[in-house]
Every structure is written in C-alpha cells, then in structure tokens.
Amino acid sequence: MVPLGLFLIGYASVTSMIIAGMVLATFVVRAALQADPNWWYAGYAVAAAAAVVWALRPNIKRLRQGTERMVGLRARLARRQDHGGAGTDQTP
C-alpha cells in the first residue's frame, strides 16, 4: 500500500504524513468504538504524528516553495513534460 501511494503521490514526505494521519485515525476510531476504550494508544498516535510532522518541517517548506523532489509516476511524467514529450526520458 505504501509503495503504491508513494508511486502515485510522488512525494515521500506527503506519503509519510498521510500514513501518520491514517495511523492516528485508526487508533482514535478503535478507542472510540471499544466498550472499554484505551485512549493511551490514541495519545501515542497523536505524539507520533506530531513527531513525523516536526521531522518533516524542511520538506513541508520545500513543498510550499515547489522545490521538493518528486519520485515515482509523477516525477516521470513531469520529467517527460520538461523534456518535450514522450520518448525523450533518458533515465533507465
């Protein structure tokens, strides 16, 4: 799932933040639906998501500036567009 998301989204930092958000949402929903909820796990997920965002501050800045490095399908399509169309991509 993660490699597919990275391949389609094109930014490792965005994929990391999405995964952190999904983990957070999963723990919050699980705690809310349990008969005897354990909110400690949700609290740890909040802390982990905050740590991910904190660690990716430089990447977030580059995303806002439009200078973050793309990978995967979006990078390949952008590279082709920059070089004038299909068939000019020189990367193996």
Side-chain angles (χ1 to χ4, degrees):
M1 178 75 172
V2 174
L4 178 62
L6 178 59
F7 183 73
L8 295 175
I9 293 171
Y11 296 107
S13 55
V14 174
T15 304
S16 297
M17 288 185 285
I18 289 171
I19 295 300
M22 290 172 61
V23 168
L24 173 59
T26 299
F27 281 107
V28 167
V29 168
R30 285 181 55 107
L33 295 178
Q34 289 179 349
D36 184 24
N38 188 347
W39 287 99
W40 284 103
Y41 294 116
Y44 289 133
V46 168
V52 168
V53 172
W54 180 262
L56 293 174
R57 284 175 301 137
N59 301 72
I60 294 168
K61 182 179 178 182
R62 286 191 298 269
L63 283 165
R64 288 182 173 172
Q65 295 171 344
T67 59
E68 179 75 352
R69 182 174 169 260
M70 281 192 288
V71 295
L73 180 62
R74 289 189 61 195
R76 186 170 290 261
L77 292 175
R79 205 169 25 245
R80 283 189 179 181
Q81 187 177 28
D82 289 344
H83 290 103
T88 59
D89 188 11
Q90 298 297 319
T91 53

